[in-house]
Amino acid sequence: MTTVSGHGPWPGGTRDVLEAQLTVLDDLAALPTGVGVVPFLVQLSGRGPGADAVGRTGAMLAEMPVELGPHGWKLADADGVDERRAHGLLREDLGALAVAAHGHSGPLAVEVVGPWTLAAELWSARGDRVLSDVGARADLTLALAEAVRAHVADVRTQVPGAEVVVQLAEPLLGQVHAGVLPSFSGYSRLRAVAGPDVVDGLRPVVDAAHDAGATVVVHLGATWVGVPPVALAGADAVGLDLAALGRGGGNGQGPGGWNERAWELVARATERGVSLWAGLPPARVSQCAGPALGELADLLSVPWRRIGLPAAGLADVTLLGAGAGNGPAGPGDPGRAGLGPPDQHRALLANLGRVAEVVGERADA
């Protein structure tokens, strides 16, 4: 059956963590019968530094302390108040999850920043991005692998019945591969990372999650060129924002935007057993007809069939919201200021459930 999940970012402040986690679990449980659900650990980034994706993931790194610097998070010489705050917020989130998901048995998703995007977002203690130093980024990858292994164990301790799904957010992987990220000075660009090296950077983290008994999804956002490295690294699924795929061959506003190259890569990955987690934008709303949910279903099912994939495979797709604060903010991105109110996120989950119903029917047709 077609499934619904989410990335994790959710609006709210310090006192809203438990309420937000309960809301997500309750809303997913209320989706129509016949729609699968993967509950997810919420991330209330509105609580400030340390609740953001990069700070949260950086604080998980063993023997690689981090702190806030002028450009964002950077490696530090020793643990400090910034890292302790991030640790405290993560413990709070896991505690809320233990209460809200008490007795839960089944899939449970948690999102962390992937190795390449983390290397692009983290700065060295006294230099450029970690990405610019081959040795430093190798150390970062190994530290992240151990951090993911430990995080999976922590989640399973809080929710013993959880079948953990690790979502690696890699929205900057395409920029890393293309060599377009600016250096510290801004006057040059960091050297592009070759495809085989991209695979080698992903594989240790994917393997660590598998060793811990978790399933792995790598979310690429609009970076469809990253699909082959994700498949070669051994991930179980790849996440793509489907509306963005159309920008390669249309206006990107619906199924008329056709990107054959992107969908060929999706098809090849699917044939290798790599599932698709499809990010869908908010539905257009008409005062007369309500949300245009059929358009969202078409955004997936029309190119899926056009590229020649079997309709039955739509039952294996997981739907989640695109543009809902997934992954870390990129360079120059203001971050999570546009998360919107909780009702907007709840409406998105409800609409995704109805879209999943439609997609499921098309899979059975």
Side-chain angles (χ1 to χ4, degrees):
M1 66 179 71
T2 308
T3 302
V4 173
S5 187
H7 290 281
W10 197 268
T14 303
R15 300 181 179 180
D16 303 322
V17 180
L18 180 57
E19 180 182 353
Q21 191 67 72
L22 285 168
T23 297
V24 166
L25 290 166
D26 290 345
D27 286 0
L28 287 173
L31 294 184
T33 303
V35 173
V37 298
V38 179
F40 53 92
L41 175 65
V42 296
Q43 304 173 28
L44 275 64
S45 52
R47 292 173 292 176
D52 61 292
V54 174
R56 182 189 190 94
T57 303
M60 296 180 187
L61 302 174
E63 299 182 5
M64 293 190 78
V66 295
E67 64 183 6
L68 280 171
H71 291 274
W73 288 93
K74 69 185 188 74
L75 299 180
D77 296 324
D79 296 347
V81 64
D82 296 327
E83 182 167 348
R84 288 195 294 271
R85 173 180 166 77
H87 275 300
L89 292 171
L90 179 56
R91 285 195 301 269
E92 183 181 352
D93 291 347
L94 291 175
L97 178 67
V99 174
H102 178 71
H104 172 78
S105 180
L108 179 65
V110 296
E111 186 170 82
V112 300
V113 181
W116 289 111
T117 296
L118 188 61
E121 292 278 22
L122 272 182
W123 298 82
S124 299
R126 299 172 186 82
D128 217 312
R129 301 177 193 271
V130 172
L131 180 65
S132 65
D133 185 327
V134 176
R137 74 190 191 207
D139 291 342
L140 181 69
T141 296
L142 295 178
L144 181 60
E146 291 306 311
V148 166
R149 197 191 310 269
H151 190 43
V152 171
D154 289 342
V155 171
R156 197 169 283 129
T157 297
Q158 301 297 331
V159 187
E163 299 168 9
V164 181
V165 179
V166 174
Q167 304 186 78
L168 297 177
E170 284 285 11
L172 298 185
L173 190 146
Q175 297 179 48
V176 168
H177 183 46
V180 297
L181 286 170
S183 64
F184 180 85
S185 67
Y187 291 112
S188 61
R189 297 290 180 265
L190 299 186
R191 183 176 300 176
V193 177
D197 293 334
V198 171
V199 177
D200 291 342
L202 288 170
R203 185 174 287 124
V205 182
V206 172
D207 288 347
H210 284 159
D211 290 345
T215 302
V216 181
V217 185
V218 180
H219 288 291
L220 299 173
T223 313
W224 52 268
V225 293
V227 172
V230 168
L232 291 172
D236 302 287
V238 59
L240 289 169
D241 291 349
L242 297 193
L245 298 191
R247 293 171 192 155
N251 60 16
Q253 301 303 310
W258 166 245
N259 187 333
E260 185 174 3
R261 289 182 60 200
W263 277 101
E264 282 180 352
L265 294 179
V266 172
R268 290 174 188 171
T270 301
E271 289 165 356
R272 290 174 60 101
V274 179
S275 302
L276 175 65
W277 282 46
L280 298 179
R284 289 192 309 107
V285 179
S286 165
Q287 291 183 348
C288 299
L293 301 181
E295 289 184 0
L296 296 185
D298 290 345
L299 201 58
L300 168 62
S301 64
V302 170
W304 183 276
R305 298 296 290 129
R306 185 173 178 178
I307 203 65
L309 289 168
L314 290 168
D316 299 324
V317 176
T318 298
L319 307 180
L320 68 170
N326 52 303
D333 191 315
R336 300 285 180 255
L339 269 179
D343 286 349
Q344 179 179 323
H345 290 254
R346 298 185 67 186
L348 177 60
L349 285 180
N351 286 339
L352 287 174
R354 293 160 66 188
V355 173
E357 266 194 309
V358 176
V359 172
E361 290 170 358
R362 295 179 184 182
D364 295 335

